[in-house]
Amino acid sequence: MSVLDEIVEGVRADLAVRRKRVPEAVLRERAAAAGPPVDCVELLRAGPGPALIAEVKRASPSKGALARIGAPADLAAEYTAGGAAAVSVLTEQRCFGGSLDDLDAVRARVTAPVLRKDFVVGAYQLWEARAHGADLALLMVSVLAQPLLADLVALATEIGLTPLVEAHDEAEAERAVAAGARVVGINARNLRTLEVHRQTFARVAPHLPDGIVKVAESGVRGPFDVAGYATSGADAVLVGEALVRSPDPRATVAAFLAASRPAVVGG
């Protein structure tokens, strides 16, 4: 069993517990009362240079614990003060140490769009995301059969979420587009092996049609990597580990953004 398979198995087990505790009908009512979400498609490609999606990430299966995040809302506020266009919150519990409580805390603190990042396997989690105030939700091509992927893209859009559909290679990117994705994330980390290949975005992005928002995910060690993704045509870059490990997340976000901006010529 791959790492990804183990994660998804745990997600399904935890999901079964939450389903018993909170019926989907209740989530739908809470989603309706959550207020209007932000359509993030235009926001992520507004430019100049790529937008930055800054992630609240406590741990990962490849590195273990990354940082002690006592107040995820404070961290998110630092991100947005540094110029982050959106905040991603990992809510998977077993391998990433996240929770819906983290999502609630961030949503209550920042006005920027919030991404619920998890391993979505069904509609319940999309209603959950919206009920907890998310504006975007991650959908992974590698986790979902094509008919279900298309259904979840449609449902997310219908209830006001912007689906960020994640691919790892050309075939998955093609599936994302066929499912109706307007925002496609290209992840440099293979979650089946945990290996990172930083050239993945540059290889896969040209296969996406014009008009698709292209998000580079994983593999960011410093400003040079963000600049590299910008050069390869990224509309947005999602960064987690490099930010949560930073002693000054606000300044690090600002430095990443500065590295990705086109140089101003003249004087």
Side-chain angles (χ1 to χ4, degrees):
M1 182 181 290
S2 71
V3 174
L4 179 60
D5 292 333
E6 290 178 0
I7 293 172
V8 171
E9 185 177 88
V11 165
R12 291 185 184 279
D14 293 340
L15 178 58
V17 173
R18 296 200 306 278
R19 279 182 177 278
K20 290 180 180 178
R21 189 170 65 239
V22 184
E24 185 174 307
V26 173
L27 290 178
R28 290 180 181 233
E29 292 175 1
R30 292 177 182 173
V38 176
D39 184 341
C40 299
V41 175
E42 295 305 322
L43 179 145
L44 292 177
R45 60 181 173 202
L52 193 137
I53 304 171
E55 190 157 85
V56 176
K57 182 178 184 180
R58 297 178 181 275
S60 77
S62 61
K63 300 286 182 67
L66 298 175
R68 291 186 177 182
I69 302 174
D74 290 347
L75 179 59
E78 287 295 292
Y79 288 162
T80 56
V87 178
S88 170
V89 182
L90 263 157
T91 58
E92 194 279 333
Q93 173 183 336
R94 300 187 184 209
C95 293
F96 292 89
S99 69
L100 288 166
D101 288 342
D102 285 350
L103 181 61
D104 288 337
V106 170
R107 175 71 288 164
R109 182 67 177 274
V110 303
T111 58
V114 176
L115 164 68
R116 187 213 179 159
K117 194 175 181 190
D118 209 317
F119 296 76
V120 173
V121 295
Y124 182 92
Q125 290 155 289
L126 294 181
W127 288 110
E128 243 180 0
R130 191 66 205 103
H132 288 266
D135 303 281
L136 305 100
L138 184 74
L139 296 174
M140 297 175 64
V141 174
S142 56
V143 169
L144 301 165
Q146 191 65 16
L148 180 56
L149 175 63
D151 286 348
L152 293 179
V153 168
L155 175 62
T157 304
E158 178 185 338
I159 67 177
L161 291 165
T162 301
L164 168 56
V165 183
E166 182 178 285
H168 296 83
D169 56 32
E170 293 86 342
E172 288 189 359
E174 183 177 335
R175 285 184 55 200
V177 173
R182 296 187 296 162
V183 181
V184 175
I186 300 172
N187 196 340
R189 185 181 300 281
N190 183 332
L191 278 176
R192 296 190 183 281
T193 65
L194 301 182
E195 295 175 343
V196 174
H197 300 283
R198 291 180 178 82
Q199 72 276 18
T200 300
F201 182 87
R203 189 189 76 240
V204 176
H207 293 271
L208 293 171
D210 292 341
I212 297 291
V213 175
K214 306 172 184 68
V215 182
E217 302 176 18
S218 297
V220 173
R221 298 159 294 184
F224 50 90
D225 287 317
V226 179
Y229 280 142
T231 301
S232 298
D235 297 297
V237 180
L238 192 153
V239 186
E241 180 180 343
L243 293 179
V244 298
R245 289 185 183 274
S246 170
D248 190 342
R250 181 190 303 201
T252 303
V253 168
F256 285 1
L257 287 170
S260 70
R261 296 296 187 250
V264 177
V265 179

